């Protein structure tokens, strides 16, 4: 079909064709791939017939909508239908490029048709085709679909797209300015677009991609299986990219096929840069894009050379993004200037004040929802910083209480006897509590070694008090979860901090309410390391033991957390050079012999032997020799 001019409704139109009973108007809908739409009106303009025929690669993405629309119409008309035949059918087949049996037709009113279109979320471009029909209140609308499309058990084809990437690959990133309707929540999981996640083709793609990424043994996959957390991050990046394509690139049916378009990926990276996102965020998306391409490679027909070129292109793009985009500043002075840093002493003082205040209010006012929440917040803050070397936030979020007796809640745990990250009461008198963390970031690297330690007495007393009546009062107040919440700490709705972002926002809001700054809770690890590695560090735990509780090593302190590591070593070296220089001067004074130099009276130069003079001249350049001649 030749290209047709676009109308204001986003549809390409062609002239009318007449038959014995109907007038046919062909329009071409602007979707990710061209789609043909035939609007058929009877000659008295009282009835209209709409038929949609799409190309194979786009068919499966649209079918669920039109099948649902057909069923709604058919149900409302009590399954009444008529058949097209004769010249009408021939024109229909010729105009729509169809080679199918006679389509079923169900007649419904215009009001029912428009309502069904909205309920079934048919693409907006198709809705525009009914604009002229809406102006005729007495008209009827008829939907016609090929019979094989309306099969009760129609399943999408396993490979509805041509398995190759869009070529040529972009050689530079396109310019991108944030659009006027820029929204931070543009992903498919945002409420306006969440219904698209459940479309048949996208749901099928995501199910296959998840199985490919998380199956323990997938021998056509590179590397080990994704953990649950890695898969959640990959899923987030996929939905953000598809949401961008849907919202800003007007792709009505987003699927994983869009990852085969290198121009779209380049535009999305430019969009990230314009939005001020970090280079780590962009590189994580590019890693996710490579995983999607490898999944496409594993499918039948996925051995096209463009996939190898695409993976190399993504690798190059990731390296250049890492080189050109600056990393976010983690220097304490720079963070303090923008209000994102508190020193260790101020942070400890703030948390200690919250502990004392919560205990005093509990004694004065008794157990209420407000005093229980204050004690919960104080206990949570004391777990994050002050009493312990900063434990990983993922361990704190997944910490279950002593009352929980169920199986391990970690989604990747395969040990039948594992009890998960747990806070246990070893004895009541004297009070002894213990924390066991079998699931931490480096558990696999450490050979499944468990981080385990006894809780300090002050923190144990605070936790023991909170786990009693205050926590019970919170569980009774939050009816959404109730006593079923197994975790020690919970959000304002009585649910565990399953998502890391929820705990981050909760901590920042609490810290600001206590007179602090909106500092990320993960920054507490850097605050602790900065104090322990500074020249003015106070007496405290050994660095090696503290690093174990934090779930890493002292070497990682120097690499990731101690931003003053290199400046401090350089300054210490320069300061040490002064004592070294003084020692060298003193040793030279004690051991140096009495040297007397003979000088010539006419020039005052040092006299050297003939052999030394010849050796010196051999080392001089031509220019040096010329200078000596001129001076002579």
């Amino acid at each position: 079909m030749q290209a047709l001019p676009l109308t204001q409704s986003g549809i390409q139109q062609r002239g009318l064709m007449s038959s014995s009973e109907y007038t046919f108007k062909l329009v071409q809908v602007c979707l990710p791939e061209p789609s043909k739409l035939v609007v058929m009106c009877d000659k008295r303009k009282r009835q209209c017939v709409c038929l949609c025929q799409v190309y194979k690669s786009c068919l499966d993405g649209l079918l669920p909508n039109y099948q649902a629309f057909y069923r709604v119409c058919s149900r409302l008309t009590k399954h009444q239908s008529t058949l097209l035949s004769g010249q009408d059918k021939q024109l229909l087949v010729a105009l729509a490029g169809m080679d199918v049996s006679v389509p079923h037709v169900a007649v419904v009113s215009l009001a029912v048709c428009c309502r069904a279109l909205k309920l079934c979320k048919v693409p907006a471009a198709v809705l525009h085709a009914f604009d002229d029909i809406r102006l005729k209140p007495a008209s009827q609308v008829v939907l016609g679909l090929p019979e094989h499309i309306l099969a009760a058990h129609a399943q999408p084809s396993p490979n509805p797209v041509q398995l190759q990437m869009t070529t040529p690959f972009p050689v530079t990133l396109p310019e991108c300015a944030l659009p006027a309707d820029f929204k931070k929540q543009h992903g498919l999981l945002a409420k306006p677009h969440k219904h698209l996640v459940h479309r048949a083709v996208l749901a099928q793609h995501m199910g296959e991609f998840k199985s490919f990424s998380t199956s323990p043994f997938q021998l056509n996959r590179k590397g080990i299986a994704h953990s649950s957390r890695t898969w959640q991050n990959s899923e987030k990046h996929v939905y953000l990219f598809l949401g961008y394509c849907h919202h800003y690139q007007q792709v009505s049916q987003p699927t994983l096929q869009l990852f085969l378009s290198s121009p779209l990926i380049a535009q999305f990276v430019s969009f990230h840069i314009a939005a001020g996102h970090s280079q780590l965020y962009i590189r994580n998306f590019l890693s996710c894009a490579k995983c999607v391409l490898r999944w496409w490679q594993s499918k039948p027909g996925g051995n096209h050379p463009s996939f190898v070129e695409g993976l190399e292109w993504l690798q190059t793009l990731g390296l250049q993004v890492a080189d050109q985009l600056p990393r976010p500043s983690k220097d304490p002075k720079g963070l303090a200037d923008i209000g994102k840093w508190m020193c260790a002493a101020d942070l400890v003082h703030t948390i200690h004040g919250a502990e004392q205040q919560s205990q005093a209010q509990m004694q004065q006012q008794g157990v209420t929802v407000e005093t229980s929440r204050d004690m919960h917040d104080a206990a949570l803050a004391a777990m994050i910083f002050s009493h312990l070397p900063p434990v990983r936030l993922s361990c704190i979020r997944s910490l279950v209480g002593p009352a929980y007796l169920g199986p391990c809640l970690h989604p990747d745990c395969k040990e039948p006897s594992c009890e998960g990250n747990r806070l246990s009461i070893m004895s009541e008198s004297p009070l002894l509590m213990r924390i066991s963390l079998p699931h931490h970031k480096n558990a696999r690297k450490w050979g499944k070694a468990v981080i385990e330690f006894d809780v300090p007495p002050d923190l144990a007393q605070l936790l023991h008090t909170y786990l009693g009546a205050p926590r019970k009062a919170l569980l009774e107040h939050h009816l959404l979860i109730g006593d079923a919440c197994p975790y020690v700490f919970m959000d304002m709705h009585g649910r565990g901090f399953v998502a890391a972002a929820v705990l981050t926002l909760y901590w920042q809001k609490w810290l600001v309410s206590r007179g602090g700054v909106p500092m990320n809770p993960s920054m507490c690890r850097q605050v602790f390391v900065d104090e322990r590695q500074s020249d003015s560090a106070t007496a405290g735990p050994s660095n090696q033991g503290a690093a174990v509780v934090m779930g890493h090593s002292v070497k990682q302190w120097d690499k990731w957390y101690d931003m003053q590591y290199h400046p401090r070593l350089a300054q210490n070296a320069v300061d040490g050079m002064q004592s070294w220089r003084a020692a060298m001067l003193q040793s030279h004074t004690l051991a140096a012999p009495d040297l007397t130099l003979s000088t010539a009276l006419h020039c005052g130069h040092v006299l050297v032997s003939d052999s030394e003079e010849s050796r010196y001249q051999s080392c001089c350049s031509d220019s040096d020799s010329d200078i000596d001649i001129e001076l002579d």
Side-chain angles (χ1 to χ4, degrees):
M1 179 181 294
Q2 297 179 353
L4 302 173
L6 287 176
T7 65
Q8 292 181 352
S9 62
I11 301 178
Q12 297 173 335
Q13 297 190 359
R14 177 171 288 194
L16 303 179
M17 298 177 65
S18 297
S19 68
S20 60
E21 299 181 11
Y22 296 98
T23 298
F24 298 83
K25 181 172 65 174
L26 177 65
V27 294
Q28 188 165 345
V29 183
C30 299
L31 292 169
E33 295 189 16
S35 303
K36 299 176 184 177
L37 184 72
V38 179
V39 178
M40 302 162 48
C41 304
D42 69 346
K43 293 185 176 181
R44 291 175 296 176
K45 303 293 184 181
R46 295 181 58 187
Q47 291 185 347
C48 299
V49 177
C50 168
L51 183 140
C52 181
Q53 170 74 5
V54 295
Y55 294 156
K56 182 179 180 182
S57 59
C58 196
L59 185 63
D60 296 322
L62 296 174
L63 273 184
N65 303 108
Y66 292 104
Q67 287 182 5
F69 177 53
Y70 176 83
R71 293 189 184 100
V72 171
C73 296
S74 180
R75 184 175 65 252
L76 293 175
T77 57
K78 299 181 180 179
H79 305 282
Q80 297 175 0
S81 62
T82 59
L83 298 179
L84 294 179
S85 60
Q87 186 181 5
D88 300 329
K89 177 186 175 183
Q90 294 176 5
L91 283 174
L92 190 65
V93 171
L95 201 58
M98 297 169 54
D99 185 14
V100 296
S101 60
V102 177
H104 289 281
V105 176
V107 182
V108 295
S109 68
L110 175 62
V112 171
C113 176
C114 295
R115 182 167 176 264
L117 285 172
K118 293 180 180 179
L119 289 175
C120 301
K121 299 181 176 64
V122 171
V126 178
L127 291 174
H128 292 314
F130 291 89
D131 287 342
D132 56 341
I133 302 174
R134 293 194 182 102
L135 301 177
K136 307 177 181 65
S139 64
Q140 298 285 320
V141 178
V142 180
L143 174 72
L145 285 175
E147 187 174 16
H148 74 279
I149 292 180
L150 300 176
H153 304 286
Q155 295 294 332
S157 58
N159 284 308
V161 298
Q162 185 179 6
L163 293 185
Q164 69 178 63
M165 291 196 68
T166 305
T167 56
F169 295 96
V171 296
T172 185
L173 291 180
E175 296 291 335
C176 179
L178 287 182
D181 60 341
F182 169 68
K183 297 180 180 179
K184 292 185 177 180
Q185 295 182 348
H186 60 270
L188 289 189
L189 294 181
K191 288 184 179 180
H193 318 302
K194 200 168 185 178
H195 63 277
L196 296 174
V197 176
H198 305 292
R199 296 288 176 88
V201 177
L202 179 56
Q204 180 191 11
H205 284 179
M206 291 302 295
E208 293 179 4
F209 178 47
K210 181 178 182 180
S211 176
F212 174 81
S213 303
T214 60
S215 296
F217 297 100
Q218 188 75 32
L219 301 184
N220 58 349
R221 178 194 64 216
K222 183 179 179 180
I224 61 176
H226 285 2
S227 65
S228 58
R229 183 176 180 181
T230 303
W231 166 249
Q232 290 173 1
N233 292 332
S234 298
E235 187 180 39
K236 176 190 68 176
H237 285 293
V238 166
Y239 285 141
L240 285 173
F241 173 65
L242 298 183
Y244 164 81
C245 296
H246 174 71
H247 187 74
Y248 296 110
Q249 300 296 329
Q250 287 74 50
V251 177
S252 61
Q253 299 292 333
T255 66
L256 292 191
Q257 176 189 353
L258 298 176
F259 279 89
L260 302 181
S261 173
S262 54
L264 276 180
I265 293 177
Q267 291 172 5
F268 188 53
V269 171
S270 296
F271 173 80
H272 274 307
I273 296 175
H277 297 158
S278 67
Q279 56 130 312
L280 181 60
Y281 190 85
I282 300 175
R283 290 169 61 195
N284 286 341
F285 161 72
L286 294 176
S287 298
C288 173
K290 288 191 287 186
C291 292
V292 176
L293 290 189
R294 293 192 181 100
W295 168 69
W296 280 116
Q297 267 187 315
S298 69
K299 300 177 75 65
N303 55 354
H304 196 274
S306 62
F307 282 101
V308 178
E309 299 174 12
L311 291 172
E312 294 178 354
W313 180 78
L314 289 173
Q315 180 72 16
T316 302
L317 180 56
L319 292 175
Q320 295 186 8
V321 164
D323 179 65
Q324 295 300 318
L325 297 186
R327 284 183 174 271
S329 175
K330 296 180 67 175
D331 178 67
K333 185 178 183 304
L335 292 173
D337 292 339
I338 62 176
K340 297 289 186 179
W341 179 268
M342 291 179 67
C343 68
D346 292 342
L347 202 52
V348 170
H349 179 76
T350 300
I351 296 174
H352 180 66
E355 294 177 33
Q356 291 184 324
Q357 181 178 353
S358 64
Q359 293 174 350
Q361 288 180 346
M362 187 67 67
Q363 293 177 355
Q364 296 173 2
Q365 304 176 21
V367 179
T368 64
V369 175
E370 290 75 15
T371 58
S372 300
R373 177 56 64 177
D374 289 341
M375 180 158 286
H376 166 277
D377 296 345
L380 175 61
M383 280 288 297
I384 293 176
F385 199 77
S386 183
H387 291 273
L388 304 172
V391 182
R392 289 193 182 276
L393 297 178
S394 59
C395 297
I396 296 176
R397 291 189 290 109
S398 60
L399 194 68
V400 298
Y404 178 72
L405 303 177
C408 177
L409 299 178
H410 195 278
D412 299 325
C413 183
K414 300 178 178 61
E415 300 292 335
S417 60
C418 179
E419 297 181 346
N421 294 341
R422 176 176 293 273
L423 172 66
S424 305
I425 299 177
M426 309 306 296
S427 66
E428 294 281 355
S429 181
L431 180 61
L432 178 61
M433 304 183 78
R434 180 171 296 169
I435 291 179
S436 299
L437 304 174
H439 299 294
H440 53 91
K441 185 176 181 179
N442 287 324
R444 182 180 295 173
K445 294 181 180 179
W446 292 5
K448 298 184 179 181
V450 179
I451 300 176
E452 191 173 55
F453 52 86
D454 293 339
V455 180
D458 292 343
L459 178 59
Q461 187 60 51
L462 177 64
L463 291 172
H464 188 266
T465 304
Y466 157 69
L467 291 173
R471 186 171 186 273
K472 184 178 180 181
L474 290 178
L475 292 174
E476 292 176 352
H477 175 70
H478 300 298
L479 301 179
L480 179 63
I481 300 298
D483 293 335
C485 181
Y487 300 104
V488 175
F489 302 107
M490 63 190 78
D491 62 12
M492 296 298 293
H493 302 285
R495 298 170 296 195
F497 293 101
V498 179
V502 177
L503 178 57
T504 297
L505 295 175
Y506 189 94
W507 161 270
Q508 290 177 339
K509 184 178 180 180
W510 176 85
L511 194 58
V512 170
S513 69
R514 302 296 306 181
V517 299
M519 184 178 69
N520 195 307
S522 60
M523 291 297 296
C524 293
R525 298 164 70 84
Q526 184 178 340
V527 171
F528 176 76
V529 172
D530 182 74
E531 194 281 332
R532 297 308 306 150
Q533 296 286 73
S534 66
D535 295 333
S536 59
T538 58
S542 67
N543 291 349
Q544 186 175 2
V548 170
V549 176
M550 294 173 67
H552 51 215
S553 63
V554 178
K555 184 182 294 186
Q556 289 176 298
W557 280 20
D558 302 335
K559 185 176 182 180
W560 298 109
Y561 295 102
D562 187 7
M563 297 296 103
Q564 298 299 317
Y565 175 72
H566 294 95
R568 185 174 59 253
L569 288 184
Q571 188 61 52
N572 290 341
V574 171
D575 295 341
M577 284 296 295
Q578 309 314 307
S579 59
W580 177 84
R581 177 176 177 274
M584 292 297 100
L585 291 175
Q586 183 178 5
S587 62
H588 184 272
T589 303
L590 296 177
D594 185 15
L595 298 177
T596 302
L597 297 178
S598 300
T599 58
L601 295 178
H602 68 281
C603 62
H605 287 176
V606 177
L607 297 179
V608 295
S609 64
D610 294 340
S611 61
E612 290 175 336
E613 184 177 2
S614 62
R615 191 185 317 126
Y616 170 76
Q617 290 179 353
S618 66
C619 296
C620 292
S621 65
D622 294 339
S623 59
D624 290 335
S625 302
D626 294 340
I627 293 175
D628 291 340
I629 294 173
E630 292 175 0
L631 290 177
D632 290 338

